[in-house]
Amino acid sequence: MPPHHRERRPVSQRRCAGWLRYLRAAIAATVVAAAVSACSADAPVDLPSPEDYAQQLHQGANAERVSAGLEPLEWSECILPVAQERSEKVNETGELTHEPLAATCNDGATTGENLSRAEDSPERIVEMWMASPGHEANILNPAFTTVAVACARETEDAGPMSCSWVAEGLSPDDPDYDPDAQGEGTITVD
């Protein structure tokens, strides 16, 4: 056979070879897309300031209460120093450890706390709280009436956000008071 003539393969083999090239390219594109997706999933989240983060946690938890047919919790400046102290301690130690809670604004009131420490969005923290029975019970506790949320961070732009959500409710002289309604929960994301 002369050198300028190539042996022609049957049409079915040529089509099959074309499909194989297409399939290889599609697989390569899928692998690259999966790798990019995995890398972006591990990318740090651009978090708001600790004050804005706390407000977003407050709003998100209240949205869950409203969805469950409960009244939203009122913000309490009276509870805020307790939440700030607890979030700062979590930030300093890196440990999500509950300490005994005592009512701050309503002597003997029902109290509860949710803690978190993560480099994740406030929306994601609320989702994780709602997926945890103890956290969800606190957020949906009908005995709670007021709340404060505080967050702290190692630096303004870096490190995990450490937050404390502290709620108080009815005083013991209220007919709806339930001393067993106290609650606590913690969540951390590595």
Side-chain angles (χ1 to χ4, degrees):
M1 182 182 327
H4 64 277
H5 283 75
R6 290 189 328 186
E7 184 179 331
R8 304 242 337 140
R9 291 183 280 163
V11 172
S12 62
Q13 285 181 351
R14 288 193 311 257
R15 282 188 191 138
C16 190
W19 277 106
L20 284 174
R21 280 192 301 278
Y22 171 79
L23 185 59
R24 276 189 226 126
I27 289 171
T30 302
V31 168
V32 168
V36 167
S37 175
C39 290
S40 65
D42 292 337
V45 176
D46 186 23
L47 300 177
S49 71
E51 295 78 16
D52 289 343
Y53 196 99
Q55 281 299 314
Q56 290 177 35
L57 286 177
H58 172 59
Q59 292 164 356
N62 267 346
E64 295 294 338
R65 286 180 64 86
V66 170
S67 290
L70 298 168
E71 291 292 318
L73 297 178
E74 291 182 32
W75 184 264
S76 172
E77 289 295 323
C78 180
I79 302 171
L80 186 57
V82 174
Q84 288 171 327
E85 180 182 318
R86 291 162 105 61
S87 68
E88 288 167 8
K89 184 171 184 177
V90 169
N91 188 50
E92 289 170 12
T93 65
E95 296 176 12
L96 297 170
T97 305
H98 289 284
E99 296 173 3
L101 273 177
T104 302
C105 307
N106 222 359
D107 203 25
T110 303
T111 59
E113 176 181 52
N114 284 351
L115 296 173
S116 67
R117 180 172 168 82
E119 287 188 71
D120 220 327
S121 70
E123 297 81 12
R124 181 72 181 120
I125 297 301
V126 172
E127 286 173 16
M128 288 187 284
W129 279 347
M130 294 307 291
S132 163
H135 296 95
E136 180 185 45
N138 278 345
I139 291 171
L140 301 182
N141 188 332
F144 292 150
T145 56
T146 58
V147 70
V149 185
C151 299
R153 203 167 184 197
E154 291 172 20
T155 68
E156 193 65 30
D157 326 356
M161 192 73 73
S162 301
C163 300
S164 174
W165 178 98
V166 179
E168 285 189 10
L170 306 171
S171 64
D173 57 348
D174 191 294
D176 293 328
Y177 175 76
D178 178 1
D180 296 324
Q182 311 275 60
E184 57 186 44
T186 61
I187 194 157
T188 185
V189 178
D190 295 324

